[in-house]
Amino acid sequence: MPEVELHSDPLFANRGKSFREQASIISNNINQKYHDRFYIPPYRPTNPNWEITFASLGWKRDTIEKFWRIFCQINVNRDGAIQLDEFLQYFDLEWTPWTERCFKYFDTTGGGDIDFLEFMISVWNVCTFRIDTLSNFAFDMYDLDEDGELSVPEIEKMVKELFGENGGAQCLKQAIQFAEECGGALGLNA
């Protein structure tokens, strides 16, 4: 009945290793798991074009390294690009068409993920928006035909994405009514 002895031996004395050896093994395993989960590799420039872009935007090395740490915290699977699920998890968001649309704004190449350059440029763009520019950004996200106006179908799409299929009925009704009063569409300055 050696199996019974092994399971009833909390100090692992019957395994041929001392308590210190066992404690060392457990400690190393814990340290490795901690390292794998929380270690952020140092920023090492790999693309000279990125460095030129960062320099042209006036970013100093310490700023780049701060954003690198944030990027690495979001990029849980450490593949060098942020996926939609990582983006949503980090910002504690649920998937909606709106959150996916925001993610796609950051994904400037359309590759389905955000690399470090896309991340840096998108964060810079969003952080430098003034209030009027921010409203332009939100407007442009739903001006699908880029005609400078939100038509009734575009308004419906926006409200459904923001409030869900069953939500925002009153908001939708008011927006469509206002659009009709403005000639059938909402302009940015309406």
Side-chain angles (χ1 to χ4, degrees):
M1 300 250 258
E3 299 84 36
V4 174
E5 287 183 36
L6 289 176
H7 292 293
S8 66
D9 184 9
L11 299 178
F12 307 104
N14 291 331
R15 292 208 178 175
K17 294 185 179 168
S18 71
F19 176 76
R20 285 181 189 240
E21 289 172 322
Q22 274 300 324
S24 175
I25 290 170
I26 292 170
S27 176
N28 288 340
N29 288 342
I30 291 170
N31 287 340
Q32 186 62 45
K33 287 180 183 176
Y34 180 83
H35 180 272
D36 291 346
R37 183 167 180 198
F38 297 107
Y39 173 73
I40 296 175
Y43 174 70
R44 291 190 178 93
T46 56
N47 188 325
N49 293 330
W50 290 11
E51 294 304 304
I52 292 168
T53 302
F54 298 159
S56 69
L57 293 172
W59 289 332
K60 298 192 178 354
R61 180 70 178 207
D62 62 329
T63 303
I64 296 168
E65 289 174 355
K66 287 176 187 175
F67 280 102
W68 173 254
R69 286 191 291 276
I70 294 168
F71 178 83
C72 289
Q73 290 171 353
I74 299 171
N75 183 221
V76 176
N77 66 7
R78 311 260 192 228
D79 64 352
I82 299 169
Q83 309 299 322
L84 176 60
D85 60 330
E86 294 171 324
F87 180 83
L88 297 175
Q89 181 181 359
Y90 183 80
F91 293 106
D92 195 23
L93 300 169
E94 293 182 19
W95 181 91
T96 65
W98 168 253
T99 56
E100 184 172 353
R101 191 177 291 270
C102 290
F103 178 83
K104 286 180 179 178
Y105 171 78
F106 278 67
D107 178 18
T108 57
T109 61
D113 54 23
I114 302 168
D115 65 23
F116 186 57
L117 179 64
E118 291 173 313
F119 177 76
M120 290 289 288
I121 290 173
S122 298
V123 168
W124 184 81
N125 285 338
V126 171
C127 290
T128 58
F129 283 161
R130 295 186 325 260
I131 294 298
D132 59 331
T133 311
L134 190 57
S135 62
N136 291 354
F137 164 73
F139 183 90
D140 288 343
M141 288 187 75
Y142 286 98
D143 184 15
L144 303 176
D145 56 8
E146 298 179 1
D147 65 351
E149 297 181 328
L150 294 181
S151 62
V152 171
E154 291 170 328
I155 294 169
E156 289 174 345
K157 182 174 182 65
M158 177 180 67
V159 171
K160 284 180 182 173
E161 286 187 9
L162 292 174
F163 294 100
E165 285 295 324
N166 300 324
Q170 183 64 27
C171 178
L172 179 59
K173 182 180 173 185
Q174 290 175 343
I176 290 174
Q177 182 181 5
F178 186 69
E180 289 171 352
E181 291 171 7
C182 293
L186 293 177
L188 187 57
N189 298 320

